[in-house]
Structures are given as C-alpha cells and as structure tokens.
Amino acid sequence: MGRTVQHESPENGDRSLASRVFGVGLRRETYANLAYLLARFPLGVAYFVTFVTGLSLGLSLVPLVVGVPILVGVLALAGYVGVLEAHLLRGLRGSSVSYNPVDPGDQSVGAYAKSVVTNPRNYLLVAYALASFVVGVHLFTAIAVVFTLALALVAAPALYWLPGVDYQLTTASGAVDVGPLTVDASSLSGAAIDTFPEALAASLLGVVVCLVGLHAVNLTARLVGGLTERLLGQTTQ
C-alpha cells in the first residue's frame, strides 16, 4: 500500500525561528496584509455613508411607499460589497473566494426584488459594511500610532541631537491614584533621550515595536480576512 510523503519546502518548513521573527519585514505578504487592513478605513467610511444614508432615507419614506424600492436597492447594493470584498481578498490575501450577486438582467423586476429581499446574506453584508466603519477607524488609528512611534524611536540616533528636536518621554503632571496609593506623576516627568547610548537603546526598542506591529498586522489580516471569507463563502449567489 503506497504512502504519500510530504516534503517541507525550505521556504516554509525549514525556515528558522529567527527568519520567521525577524524576516517579517522582508516578506511581500506582510505589506499586502498591511494594505488590506489600511483599506478598511476608506472602505468603512464609504460603506457607512452609503448605507446609513440609504437606510435612513428608505425607512423615513416607507409610509410614502417610495422608501420600499430604496430599501430594496440598499440590499441589492450589499451584494456588490461582497464582490468588492472578494476582489480584495483575491488580490491582497491570495484567497480563491468569489461572490456573485443576482444579476438584475436575468430576472423580471419583481423576481429580482424578491430574490434580493429574501437572501439573508444581503442583510449580513449590510451589517458587515456598517461594522467595517468601526473596525476600519480602530485599525487605522492603531497602525498609525504603532508605526509612527516605531519610526520615531528608530530614528532617534540621527535626530535626538538636532536643535528643536525633543525626545521627551514623559510629560505627566498631577497626582494619579493607583489603588490605595497616590503617585505624584510630576516626579516621572523629565525623562528624555539626550545621549547617544540612550538614543541607540531607543532605536533598538523601535525595531522591536516595528517587528511586533508587523506580526500583529499579519495576525489581524488573517483574522479579518478569514471572517470575511466565511461570510462570503465559495458559492454563487
């Protein structure tokens, strides 16, 4: 009875721990994942404006009947959110997922409206589009803060001595209650990078922050992409 032996490729199986940890910044996948996460912000804004406007207008005009076709249009548009998300997953995440909404040219107006309204995935895509705004804002903020901090720390040896550049680490003031203790935060103020060894240590810390951030980017992109794939599925809708 035959047995299939799987050989691990040097690119994956034989990659050392050091390569996996420190080589994250040299892999194309990392920057594709970064682009995927950054895209959540403008898409989230566009989704939010479009769907909140459509839903608000449609619901407010339901008593005049005009709102009904508007709401049907909102649900139909949700299907094209799935098309766009599948395109992003294929282009940036290397996924094979696809999504094909009902073609309005294949059915009568009534049949098309019924198929749009009775498709539960359209409602999930509307919720996904609205949630994308919150997710996109938080992802953009986190990425901007982490990598701005990392870049500032890495550049410390080249910048700390320049006139007007102040690497002040703490500027807290006042009293802070920590459980039963009261800490005078002003006593923590004044720590700064003003020597080359301190700047070098800060630069090394910046490298660590950057590496951690890039690994977090890959992990988050796999999580967000995986959830989106599960929502879209592989079937033709």
Side-chain angles (χ1 to χ4, degrees):
M1 184 173 180
R3 182 176 63 177
T4 301
V5 179
Q6 296 181 343
H7 298 280
E8 294 182 335
S9 65
E11 186 177 17
N12 295 313
D14 295 338
R15 183 184 294 166
S16 66
L17 177 61
S19 176
R20 292 196 296 270
V21 173
F22 297 104
V24 63
L26 303 177
R27 295 197 286 271
R28 176 187 175 278
E29 175 193 4
T30 300
Y31 298 99
N33 286 336
L34 181 60
Y36 178 72
L37 294 183
L38 288 175
R40 310 317 313 162
F41 177 64
L43 284 175
V45 172
Y47 291 160
F48 184 82
V49 171
T50 301
F51 284 97
V52 167
T53 301
L55 289 172
S56 300
L57 187 61
L59 290 173
S60 63
L61 293 177
V62 164
L64 300 178
V65 184
V66 181
V68 174
I70 293 177
L71 292 176
V72 173
V74 168
L75 291 174
L77 185 60
Y80 292 93
V81 169
V83 174
L84 178 56
E85 292 296 332
H87 180 74
L88 282 175
L89 286 170
R90 291 195 303 271
L92 295 176
R93 293 279 302 142
S95 173
S96 60
V97 69
S98 62
Y99 190 83
N100 298 305
V102 176
D103 187 347
D106 293 341
Q107 300 177 351
S108 65
V109 174
Y112 176 70
K114 181 179 179 181
S115 63
V116 166
V117 171
T118 56
N119 185 353
R121 193 164 295 183
N122 286 336
Y123 297 90
L124 292 176
L125 285 170
V126 171
Y128 175 90
L130 295 176
S132 290
F133 174 72
V134 178
V135 173
V137 169
H138 283 82
L139 284 176
F140 181 82
T141 302
I143 289 171
V145 169
V146 169
F147 290 105
T148 299
L149 173 63
L151 181 60
L153 291 173
V154 168
L159 300 178
Y160 81 97
W161 56 273
L162 294 176
V165 176
D166 185 16
Y167 272 86
Q168 189 77 22
L169 300 184
T170 57
T171 57
S173 61
V176 178
D177 292 327
V178 183
L181 302 177
T182 299
V183 179
D184 183 7
S186 60
S187 65
L188 303 176
S189 301
I193 298 173
D194 50 20
T195 65
F196 182 75
E198 291 173 348
L200 187 59
S203 183
L204 293 176
L205 177 60
V207 172
V208 173
V209 171
C210 186
L211 289 174
V212 171
L214 291 176
H215 282 290
V217 162
N218 285 335
L219 179 61
T220 306
R222 284 195 289 270
L223 176 62
V224 175
L227 291 174
T228 306
E229 286 181 0
R230 289 177 64 87
L231 173 62
L232 299 179
Q234 295 284 353
T235 57
T236 300
Q237 299 298 320

